[in-house]
Amino acid sequence: MTNHRSLAQRQELRLYRGSGPVAVPVTAIHGGAAAGKTSVIDALAQMRDAVLHSVTGWDPYAGPVRAPHLGFPDRPTEFVAGFVAEGVPYTYGFQLDNAGVIAEWLHTQPRSRKRIVFERAGEQIKIGPMFEAARYGIAALVPLVRPNALLLSLAGQMYAEALVPAYRWFAAVLQVEHGARDTAEVAHRLGSHLSRAPENAARLLPLLHAAGLGISDVLIADNDPLYADYLRELDGDIAETAKQVELCASSPGHADALLQTNGVTAVMLQRELGNLRAAREALYARMVARRGVGLHLVHAGVDAPFEITDESAATVSLLRLLPPMLDALDEGLVLAVDDIGARLPAEQTDRLIRLFQSPETNSFGAQLIFTTDDRALIDRGNGRSQRTRSAVWQVRRTERGVSELVAR
């Protein structure tokens, strides 16, 4: 990331130890107040937002949405990410200035050999020789790309096959929790998580009990009869598809048999699973808009259940974190959380971090990136011991008023 908020100079955040390239499940970013920790998480959020919304959400008659360092407003902003999507390593990046997209590129690296999917310089877009424009439809999109929008964003909206894996990684795998969330949003996310399966409540409640916040139970209203059958059917389809995805990952023979009998690949199953989950969330949102979440929290020794607005800041903070963390563990996501220990005791925050460090609770390869100004979370061993499987970075602000990332 370059020239985003306090990160004026090029900074690189690596999610692995030493020379890599094996990623660690936990990456901690430590620094004092106003050092620039939030800028790092915000850079991830800004890159994701640009990929998902530059076509549909940005003003077509204005410059691109960016937040350069106040001391360098005319310098370009750049984001680059390396990731694995549908089993293939990718590198994707783009540069923005105040007028539009200066450059954009997507490369694959199968078997460590770089292949150009596309490279863009201003209005000129070159498609790599390994990706035939007529076959994948990339060429048809080129005349439609606005100067202030990303080609990957348009390709995701139009489902251009060659670019779909990279787009879906930003849409479905990278999740960012930062900024203020009101209690209605927290209740919605928690209600959606609990309504999917009884097992979700059975796993979440012990974590709430261990926090010592006095909560003995969480109540959620039954699904609206107008939506109940549809939600039940979707939940069944999601469970069966997830089972098939896991079987394909653990048994090549099962994947081969599925291909031969039904013509379905593991990638197709994974995409269908993502589509089903998105459809389920959209349907749940429509139901909540009609009748509300119906969330109540029961406290030991108190007869009347609490509304979420009655809860302490620490309780709301924990209720905000648990659903995205548990979803990340279930689906093998990359979750970035700004100020992870806000309003929570260090012991409770440490317990949440260990969910990602433990192979028993993190069996799908989820990754947690978090910022903190609490050295206790670092000194506990979350980064100093090989067995904790963590990487630690420090953010510091220089005398020039810019932030720097330093590996610890």
Side-chain angles (χ1 to χ4, degrees):
M1 59 209 88
T2 304
N3 199 23
H4 177 74
R5 296 182 58 162
S6 65
L7 304 167
Q9 308 301 322
R10 183 179 184 273
Q11 305 296 318
E12 182 178 6
L13 177 68
R14 300 185 302 274
L15 310 187
Y16 52 82
R17 280 182 172 277
S19 58
V22 179
V24 295
V26 173
T27 299
I29 303 170
H30 173 263
K37 302 183 298 297
T38 295
S39 294
V40 178
I41 303 299
D42 192 72
L44 290 168
Q46 179 63 33
M47 185 178 193
R48 181 179 187 271
D49 180 79
V51 171
L52 300 186
H53 304 301
S54 65
V55 169
T56 58
W58 290 4
D59 186 342
Y61 301 103
V65 175
R66 70 186 192 113
H69 190 285
L70 294 179
F72 310 101
D74 297 323
R75 292 185 184 178
T77 295
E78 179 178 276
F79 299 106
V80 185
F83 52 91
V84 177
E86 298 183 357
V88 178
Y90 284 88
T91 300
Y92 173 70
F94 55 87
Q95 292 181 341
L96 310 172
D97 64 10
N98 293 327
V101 179
I102 303 172
E104 184 184 4
W105 60 94
L106 178 65
H107 302 154
T108 66
Q109 295 170 307
R111 296 179 293 278
S112 300
R113 297 176 60 186
K114 185 179 86 169
R115 293 178 179 175
I116 297 171
V117 182
F118 74 86
E119 291 182 339
R120 172 184 182 182
E123 297 182 359
Q124 301 299 315
I125 299 176
K126 179 181 74 173
I127 301 168
M130 300 297 295
F131 297 87
E132 303 168 27
R135 180 180 176 191
Y136 293 110
I138 303 175
L141 299 179
V142 171
L144 305 177
V145 181
R146 298 197 317 264
N148 75 331
L150 299 175
L151 175 58
L152 184 60
S153 182
L154 180 62
Q157 300 293 325
M158 303 299 291
Y159 211 86
E161 176 63 28
L163 309 188
V164 165
Y167 178 87
R168 288 176 64 90
W169 186 87
F170 284 97
V173 178
L174 177 62
Q175 305 295 312
V176 183
E177 291 290 326
H178 79 311
R181 294 290 176 92
D182 62 30
T183 53
E185 290 179 292
V186 175
H188 182 128
R189 184 70 181 269
L190 181 59
S192 175
H193 180 80
L194 293 175
S195 70
R196 292 178 213 154
E199 294 81 7
N200 287 352
R203 182 175 53 169
L204 183 138
L205 281 173
L207 294 172
L208 286 175
H209 295 162
L213 299 171
I215 297 175
S216 59
D217 202 0
V218 179
L219 307 178
I220 189 78
D222 290 335
N223 290 329
D224 188 322
L226 290 176
Y227 294 85
D229 289 342
Y230 297 109
L231 287 169
R232 191 179 303 111
E233 183 177 349
L234 275 172
D235 288 335
D237 291 343
I238 288 170
E240 178 58 30
T241 307
K243 178 183 177 181
Q244 292 299 319
V245 168
E246 189 172 351
L247 285 172
C248 286
S250 60
S251 171
H254 182 83
D256 291 341
L258 199 63
L259 178 60
Q260 292 175 7
T261 57
N262 299 316
V264 176
T265 67
V267 169
M268 292 168 64
L269 276 174
Q270 189 66 55
R271 290 185 182 181
E272 178 62 16
L273 180 58
N275 292 338
L276 288 170
R277 284 169 171 160
R280 205 269 182 201
E281 182 57 38
L283 188 62
Y284 181 81
R286 290 174 62 181
M287 183 183 74
V288 167
R290 181 176 182 269
R291 59 172 292 179
V293 178
L295 177 71
H296 295 87
L297 300 111
V298 178
H299 283 252
V302 181
D303 293 334
F306 283 35
E307 301 283 345
I308 193 169
T309 51
D310 300 324
E311 296 290 350
S312 68
T315 300
V316 173
S317 181
L318 181 59
L319 294 175
R320 175 194 173 191
L321 283 177
L322 283 176
M325 282 189 153
L326 296 176
D327 286 345
L329 292 167
D330 287 343
E331 301 170 31
L333 308 181
V334 179
L335 175 65
V337 180
D338 187 34
D339 198 10
I340 193 171
R343 304 181 179 88
L344 289 175
E347 293 79 5
Q348 175 58 33
T349 308
D350 185 55
R351 190 177 294 113
L352 297 177
I353 295 169
R354 290 202 304 269
L355 293 174
F356 286 80
Q357 291 170 327
S358 169
E360 287 75 26
T361 51
N362 186 6
S363 58
F364 294 106
Q367 290 178 271
L368 173 67
I369 307 165
F370 71 87
T371 68
T372 182
D373 57 6
D374 187 354
R375 280 299 300 267
L377 290 177
I378 306 300
D379 294 338
R380 284 170 177 268
N382 294 325
R384 293 185 177 271
S385 171
Q386 289 289 344
R387 64 182 176 81
T388 59
R389 306 193 305 152
S390 299
V392 177
W393 293 77
Q394 181 182 13
V395 182
R396 60 191 184 195
R397 186 177 289 269
T398 70
E399 295 179 355
R400 296 171 295 162
V402 300
S403 300
E404 293 181 344
L405 267 172
V406 181
R408 294 292 303 276

